[in-house]
Amino acid sequence: MNEASLTPDPAPSCPQRILCVLGMHRSGTSCLTGSLQEAGLSLGECHTWNPHNLKGNRENQQIVDINDAVLAAADCAWDNPPGSDLRWPEAQRREVLELFAGYADQSPFGFKDPRTLLVLEGWRELLPHMQFVGIFRHPVAVAQSLHNRSGMPHEQGLALWYQYNRRLLRFYRQQTFPLLCFDESEGLFREKLRAVLSQLGFASSAWQGDFYDGELKSSPASDEITLPWQYRRLYRKLRRLAE
């Protein structure tokens, strides 16, 4: 898929093509980002190891810090989402432009940080030519993974899942982009991921699938917890879009 003619011109002094991975924490964003890197996406400086994901969450710490600062300026955080779109402080706007100027010679360049879903409008204003790919996972699996990682109560994890993925669906309706479900079986997920790589213009033959590790999916989707109807409906809508 060649979308170059369908997107605005890039901002001055930044990569000609930028791809942002969108998705909730513990939803397969690291797997997707690492797979894109395998297929040729440049990530710049990123984490290649952490105790909760031995292959690394593939996040650029400067981007994480920018998103945290934008949220903190509104008395919010990754686990305390804002109720509406945020106004970005000028300092963080400058940081983005300076950071991406440093990656101007790396194209296609990409990044992921689940917090981006909470502050996305600012990113779109600063980098209007940016493209997107998204991924999601069953709410119970996400809540269980958050509980396993940091002891977060299941109810809080489920509520966060809803806040993040409601934004993911809203943005998808504004600007469609490839969307994957991390709950698929390994074989089907690999098949769909390969198709998405081709759709995004990457050489899927260069992707060997080394980043995917089924053992990292330590919290399989389950319906053991009774979910509010809004959560079930949102998940069903996302599943239909990812078919």
Side-chain angles (χ1 to χ4, degrees):
M1 180 180 65
N2 182 2
E3 295 185 347
S5 61
L6 303 179
T7 56
D9 291 335
S13 300
C14 74
Q16 288 293 307
R17 186 181 180 204
I18 300 172
L19 181 64
C20 174
V21 175
L22 296 175
M24 166 68 179
H25 302 266
R26 319 305 294 170
S27 295
T29 56
S30 299
C31 175
L32 175 54
T33 307
S35 298
L36 285 161
Q37 185 182 31
E38 287 179 338
L41 183 68
S42 175
L43 299 178
E45 295 184 10
C46 66
H47 294 299
T48 57
W49 182 91
N50 72 41
H52 306 293
N53 184 344
L54 299 183
K55 294 189 176 183
N57 59 23
R58 269 21 193 198
E59 292 176 3
N60 183 306
Q61 189 59 48
Q62 289 178 275
I63 290 176
V64 173
D65 291 343
I66 289 170
N67 285 338
D68 274 337
V70 173
L71 290 167
D75 294 324
C76 298
W78 75 269
D79 56 354
N80 179 31
S84 59
D85 293 334
L86 298 181
R87 181 178 180 84
W88 276 52
E90 189 59 34
Q92 278 64 59
R93 295 173 67 88
R94 288 196 303 270
E95 284 185 61
V96 167
L97 296 178
E98 292 172 1
L99 175 62
F100 277 75
Y103 292 123
D105 61 344
Q106 299 185 34
S107 185
F109 178 80
F111 72 96
K112 79 93 172 170
D113 173 22
R115 300 163 184 78
T116 304
L117 274 170
L118 307 181
V119 296
L120 187 55
E121 288 307 314
W123 283 103
R124 294 175 69 191
E125 290 174 7
L126 291 166
L127 303 170
H129 69 300
M130 188 160 61
Q131 296 172 293
F132 302 91
V133 60
I135 191 168
F136 65 94
R137 189 181 185 189
H138 193 280
V140 173
V142 171
Q144 183 62 50
S145 185
L146 288 170
H147 178 77
N148 292 345
R149 184 184 72 174
S150 57
M152 178 178 288
H154 286 90
E155 293 77 9
Q156 183 182 1
L158 291 172
L160 282 174
W161 179 92
Y162 185 72
Q163 291 294 326
Y164 276 77
N165 285 282
R166 184 173 63 174
R167 287 171 166 84
L168 180 65
L169 178 60
R170 183 182 67 183
F171 180 53
Y172 179 91
R173 287 172 169 168
Q174 296 172 3
Q175 178 182 334
T176 58
F177 48 83
L179 187 63
L180 289 162
C181 176
F182 200 49
D183 299 314
E184 306 281 15
S185 66
E186 179 175 347
L188 184 55
F189 181 80
R190 286 176 178 270
E191 177 183 334
K192 290 188 174 183
L193 176 53
R194 190 177 295 277
V196 165
L197 293 174
S198 296
Q199 183 182 359
L200 291 170
F202 293 95
S204 59
S205 60
W207 172 66
Q208 300 300 314
D210 294 336
F211 201 85
Y212 184 92
D213 186 349
E215 294 183 0
L216 294 177
K217 296 172 68 172
S218 57
S219 301
S222 169
D223 290 313
E224 293 179 1
I225 299 177
T226 301
L227 293 172
W229 67 268
Q230 299 97 324
Y231 294 30
R232 298 195 305 271
R233 183 178 67 175
L234 176 55
Y235 181 72
R236 287 197 300 269
K237 288 181 177 180
L238 291 170
R239 283 301 301 245
R240 285 196 295 269
L241 294 175
E243 290 178 351

